[in-house]
């Protein structure tokens, strides 16, 4: 071939067929024949995204931009940065690829998904809207628009686009669940018959079974049919029970290690390795970490704090774990694992703290405080305390049965390594007991850093508990913090609907709807 475009045609066709070897060969041949060609490096970047080598993809896309900066290349850089959890760089890349600069619906949707992934749902909506103006027949585009609409609080818009996604693809399982998750289910207006039809087509489709089963459970719950709801959950999760057992085995090793640290006199397994600069960490008092089991009230506390005039919300940030992982440089593919936690003991604590602060600085407004609400940061409590000794850590503790049943009822991210424990109710119980024991030990040892907050106390008596929370965080009292329903910030968690309501007690004791189905868990947790 002598025509550059012929090489590109071969490469793009090969990428569409997932023949990445042929695509790579064609791009290399372009560079050999015509010199540094920006589109060749761009396509090489796309290939490396597809094979999961994101860091390599970033280098190739940046090489392409170094030759000729193009909005298209920035669009896929935004995707890469979102995939590796760098919110700042993802948003910065997106600014170089505004909606009007992109002409293909897929490219617009790509940037929208990247922004949605990093929590910028308002920004994502403009990309999804333009994508649909170009191609209104793609169910995935409608679904993505619906997801960001839901997180941004535009529930009617979200319903409309989920329905359009389903009308275009009746087996779009995620759209079925997302629609049911919005609530508003009544005897007269529900989707149960449609969901039952969908369930017959997904028996051997594990992800489809999970989405449809959870959707059915939500709608049965709304109608007060709790036996049917629990049966739907059991059916949905049955194929994943072994995954829960496997996940618990991995978590047990982490909990054993953390418990040993928490029970040791110095709070560290390797105190002789900690030099004075490491022990002091980064001297910054802006971070507030809100942690705890999922479904324990972490989002409520984040909404309370972020309604304060001096506090910005970062949402569920991966940055502390990513900072630890990048500095530990352990070979595993997981951000959180035992080898990484052990390797972190040899790191400079100040460097960890400064790395985290640098990664999250852009989220603060005018030097204010910042709430990081990633529940699973409880695995890093000792590292947070040492790397950021002036940070405040608030751990939510909710009724054990409400917490465990709440985890079982929730459809968490299927592909996240964090949540695999939640497919088996009794595994959830064992996970909870380990979490509770280690967190109580940290709070007792470091009361100035770690505060245990009862969800029930907060919900029942917010006028007393909210001032205590603010005081612990060294924040002045502001009346508006009691009124979370007036907080207009987007919500990117499972609590996206209910936290827009005033603080209430409706969730307390919800587990009792399933009392007859949870006898083993009740015994495990000491209820009977």
């Amino acid at each position: 071939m002598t025509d550059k475009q012929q090489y590109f045609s071969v490469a793009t066709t090969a990428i569409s067929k997932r023949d990445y070897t042929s695509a790579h060969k064609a791009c290399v041949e372009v560079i050999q024949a015509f010199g540094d060609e920006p589109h060749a490096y761009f396509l090489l970047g796309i290939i490396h995204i597809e094979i999961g080598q994101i860091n390599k993809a970033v280098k190739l896309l940046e090489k392409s931009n170094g030759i000729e900066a193009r909005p298209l290349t920035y669009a896929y850089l935004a995707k890469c940065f979102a995939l590796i959890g760098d919110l700042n760089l993802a948003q910065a890349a997106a600014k170089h690829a505004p909606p009007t600069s992109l002409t293909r619906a897929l490219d617009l949707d790509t940037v929208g998904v990247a922004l949605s992934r990093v929590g910028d749902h308002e920004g994502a909506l403009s990309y999804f809207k333009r994508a649909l103006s170009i191609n209104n027949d793609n169910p995935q585009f409608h679904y993505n628009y619906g997801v960001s609409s839901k997180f941004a609080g535009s529930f009617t818009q979200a319903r409309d686009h989920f329905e359009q996604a389903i009308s275009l693809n009746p087996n779009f399982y995620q759209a079925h669940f997302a629609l049911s998750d919005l609530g508003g289910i009544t005897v007269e207006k529900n989707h149960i018959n449609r969901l039952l039809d969908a369930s017959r087509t997904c028996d051997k489709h594990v992800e489809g079974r999970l989405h449809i089963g959870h959707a059915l459970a939500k709608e049965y719950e709304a109608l007060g049919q709790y036996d049917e709801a629990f049966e739907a959950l059991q059916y949905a999760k049955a194929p994943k029970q072994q995954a829960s057992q496997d996940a618990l085995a991995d978590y047990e090793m982490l909990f054993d290690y953390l418990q040993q640290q928490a029970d040791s006199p110095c709070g560290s397994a390797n105190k002789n390795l900690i030099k004075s600069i490491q022990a002091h960490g980064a001297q910054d008092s802006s971070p507030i970490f809100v942690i705890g089991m999922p479904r324990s009230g972490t989002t409520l506390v984040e909404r309370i704090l972020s309604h304060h005039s001096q506090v910005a919300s970062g949402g569920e940030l991966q940055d502390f774990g990513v900072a630890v992982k990048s500095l530990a440089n352990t070979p595993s593919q997981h951000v959180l694992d035992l080898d990484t936690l052990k390797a972190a003991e040899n790191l400079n604590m100040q460097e960890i703290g400064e790395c985290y602060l640098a990664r999250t600085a852009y989220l603060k407004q005018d030097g204010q405080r910042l709430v990081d609400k990633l529940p699973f940061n409880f695995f890093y409590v000792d590292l947070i305390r040492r790397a950021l000794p002036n940070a405040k850590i608030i751990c939510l503790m909710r009724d054990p049965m409400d917490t465990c049943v709440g985890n079982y009822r929730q459809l968490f991210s299927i592909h996240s390594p964090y949540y695999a424990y939640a497919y088996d109710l009794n595994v959830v119980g064992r996970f909870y007991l380990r979490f509770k024991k280690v967190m109580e030990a940290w709070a007792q040892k470091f009361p100035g850093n770690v505060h245990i907050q009862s969800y029930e106390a907060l919900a029942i008596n917010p006028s007393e508990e909210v001032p205590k929370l603010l005081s612990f965080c060294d924040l002045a009292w502001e009346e508006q913090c009691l009124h979370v329903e007036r907080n207009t910030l987007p919500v990117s968690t499972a609590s996206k609907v209910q936290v827009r309501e005033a603080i209430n007690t409706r969730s307390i004791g919800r587990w009792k709807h399933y009392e007859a189905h949870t006898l083993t868990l009740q015994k495990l947790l000491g209820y009977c």
Side-chain angles (χ1 to χ4, degrees), residues 240-257:
K240 300 284 285 185
Q241 284 188 313
Q242 186 58 51
S244 277
Q245 297 288 342
D246 296 341
L248 182 64
D250 292 335
Y251 276 127
E252 291 279 13
M253 292 189 292
L254 292 178
F255 281 123
D256 286 345
Y257 177 73

Side-chain angles (χ1 to χ4, degrees), residues 187-203:
V187 173
E188 295 77 22
K189 188 176 181 180
N190 62 74
H191 314 95
I192 288 176
N193 288 334
R194 185 169 71 181
L195 289 169
L196 288 172
D197 288 340
S199 71
R200 298 183 186 102
T201 69
C202 67
D203 186 64

Side-chain angles (χ1 to χ4, degrees), residues 40-67:
Y41 286 109
F42 168 78
L43 291 176
L44 286 170
I46 299 300
I47 292 167
H48 283 79
I49 291 173
E50 293 297 321
I51 63 177
Q53 295 182 2
I54 307 303
N55 290 327
K56 178 66 173 178
V58 168
K59 292 179 180 179
L60 289 163
L61 293 172
E62 288 179 336
K63 173 75 171 178
S64 175
N65 264 344
I67 302 167

Side-chain angles (χ1 to χ4, degrees), residues 197-272:
D197 288 340
S199 71
R200 298 183 186 102
T201 69
C202 67
D203 186 64
K204 295 182 180 179
H205 188 288
V206 174
E207 291 190 18
R209 186 165 165 170
L210 280 165
H211 282 94
I212 297 301
H214 275 272
L216 276 167
K218 282 188 172 292
E219 303 217 0
Y220 281 133
E221 278 187 355
L223 301 178
Q225 299 176 23
Y226 298 107
D227 291 341
E228 290 85 349
F230 197 82
E231 289 173 7
L233 289 173
Q234 285 185 309
Y235 172 79
K237 294 172 181 288
K240 300 284 285 185
Q241 284 188 313
Q242 186 58 51
S244 277
Q245 297 288 342
D246 296 341
L248 182 64
D250 292 335
Y251 276 127
E252 291 279 13
M253 292 189 292
L254 292 178
F255 281 123
D256 286 345
Y257 177 73
L258 294 174
Q259 195 69 55
Q260 181 184 12
Q261 285 188 308
D263 293 341
S264 67
C266 64
S268 169
N270 299 299
K271 67 177 182 178
N272 293 328

Side-chain angles (χ1 to χ4, degrees), residues 162-181:
F162 292 144
E163 285 286 8
Q164 289 187 65
I166 293 168
S167 69
L168 291 165
N169 178 6
N171 291 329
F172 201 136
Y173 304 123
Q174 297 97 321
H176 283 289
F177 171 76
L179 187 61
S180 298
D181 192 39

Side-chain angles (χ1 to χ4, degrees), residues 500-527:
R500 298 184 185 278
E501 303 172 346
I503 299 173
N504 62 76
T505 60
R506 287 199 299 275
S507 295
I508 296 176
R510 183 175 282 167
W511 74 271
K512 293 181 181 178
H513 293 309
Y514 300 102
E515 190 166 5
H517 300 280
T518 58
L519 296 178
T520 301
L521 179 64
Q522 292 175 53
K523 184 176 180 180
L524 176 67
L525 297 176
Y527 280 67

